[in-house]
Amino acid sequence: MHLEFPSTPADAGTVSPDPLDPQFVFDFVAYDDLGDGQRWSTWLDVEPLSRGPEPRPDWVVTSQGAIDTDLGILKTGKEADVFLLERADPLEPDQAVVMAAKRYRSPEHRTFHRSAAYTEGRSMKRSRDERAVKRKSTFGREVAAGEWAISEWSALVRCWKLGLPVPYPVQIDGTELLMEWITVDGETAPRLAQTRPDHALLTSYFEQLRYALATMVQAGLVHGDLSAYNILAAGEKLVIIDLPQIVDLVGNAAGFDFLLRDCTNVCDWFRRRGLEVDGQELFGDLMAHAF
């Protein structure tokens, strides 16, 4: 609305004041109250390092007046659930975006605990937190849930910067990660395990995966839990997801074992689909990129 102070009526027998200085005239727009399942955007609530790397894609909404609206659950997991979340400024509806919100469960609702082998070589910033995690206290379990979220955030940011095919990481806030929603024709992209590609596309998929793994190994990274169930088939492109357990190839004593297992898992799937590939051969090829 446009606000101005009214002039004194001319018939009041007084002299009209000078025109109002433009700097005291402003436009004010009121937003409606939030509804169920809505919150104000948390974009400005997190520190800069908790926001996605630059240059950011054009679809990332950074408006202070944006509203986050839960659209429902996309996938349930043993340690985290993934929801669809729309972020939009009511005054800029054309800029609305739907993202994937991965929310790590609180300790009392988690049914899966990752092996300590994944965390070997990692360190926490505060010794108090590390001691609590080792004692498996209630506070320690809370810290651990946050650490897995931070681990996946860090992995996504690093992989994105390396040019790897991963969802763009929008932001992290506590145990919630907001990231790009990978779609095909407006629907969630299927997992590779759910697809039946023809031979030409199957070959392309494998070469994309080989290149991605080689890039990771050159950076000293191993997915650690790679299979056809955490790779999305976005049309003709593959996108790797679920990265909280990512390990250091050299810093983790089991790094090479994890890499071999990743190679075996994916090659077994491709071979069952008719592509002549071998896990040991892929592992050897990746080792040539590592050193």
Side-chain angles (χ1 to χ4, degrees), residues 25-37:
V25 178
F26 63 93
D27 289 322
F28 175 79
V29 178
Y31 285 82
D32 295 332
D33 293 334
L34 300 183
D36 293 338

Side-chain angles (χ1 to χ4, degrees), residues 88-286:
D89 187 325
L91 302 182
E92 299 177 348
D94 293 340
Q95 301 300 316
V97 63
V98 176
M99 300 175 288
K102 186 170 184 178
R103 296 164 183 166
Y104 279 82
R105 293 181 178 179
S106 57
E108 62 270 19
H109 294 110
R110 297 177 69 194
T111 60
F112 177 70
H113 301 279
R114 292 185 182 273
S115 169
Y118 287 113
T119 59
E120 183 176 338
R122 296 181 187 174
S123 61
M124 295 186 180
K125 294 181 179 180
R126 298 193 302 181
S127 59
R128 171 175 173 262
D129 293 349
E130 192 165 4
R131 290 195 302 271
V133 170
K134 289 180 179 179
R135 289 198 305 268
K136 299 182 179 180
S137 64
T138 300
F139 173 69
R141 292 194 298 272
E142 294 281 359
V143 171
E147 282 297 316
W148 283 116
I150 292 172
S151 176
E152 180 158 23
W153 167 258
S154 299
L156 281 170
V157 170
R158 188 171 180 185
C159 288
W160 177 267
K161 289 181 176 180
L162 288 171
L164 287 162
V166 298
Y168 176 77
V170 177
Q171 70 173 73
I172 180 173
D173 185 10
T175 57
E176 180 189 68
L177 276 75
L178 298 184
M179 65 189 81
E180 179 182 3
W181 177 35
I182 306 300
T183 64
V184 176
D185 297 328
E187 299 292 334
T188 302
R191 294 173 184 271
L192 182 60
Q194 300 171 309
T195 66
R196 296 293 183 271
D198 59 32
H199 187 78
L201 185 55
L202 193 69
T203 301
S204 173
Y205 279 167
F206 184 75
E207 290 306 316
Q208 290 178 48
L209 195 56
R210 182 203 296 270
Y211 179 80
L213 290 175
T215 301
M216 292 182 71
V217 166
Q218 288 174 343
L221 301 175
V222 179
H223 186 283
D225 192 29
L226 192 63
S227 74
Y229 290 93
N230 45 32
I231 301 172
L232 300 181
E236 297 184 352
K237 304 294 182 182
L238 293 184
V239 179
I240 299 173
I241 60 173
D242 293 338
L243 298 166
Q245 73 294 313
I246 199 167
V247 299
D248 188 293
L249 178 62
V250 178
N252 188 301
F256 292 96
D257 295 332
F258 282 127
L259 179 59
L260 178 58
R261 190 177 68 180
D262 285 354
C263 292
T264 301
N265 285 343
V266 296
C267 284
D268 284 351
W269 185 87
F270 278 95
R271 190 165 57 252
R272 288 195 299 271
R273 297 297 180 276
L275 197 64
E276 292 300 320
V277 293
D278 179 76
Q280 290 283 352
E281 182 180 335
L282 177 59
F283 178 76
D285 180 49
L286 295 177

Side-chain angles (χ1 to χ4, degrees), residues 18-55:
D18 294 332
L20 192 64
D21 191 322
Q23 66 179 324
F24 294 109
V25 178
F26 63 93
D27 289 322
F28 175 79
V29 178
Y31 285 82
D32 295 332
D33 293 334
L34 300 183
D36 293 338
Q38 291 187 318
R39 70 186 185 195
W40 293 110
S41 169
T42 56
W43 176 259
L44 294 179
D45 294 340
V46 300
E47 60 183 18
L49 290 179
S50 294
R51 301 172 195 150
E54 296 182 347

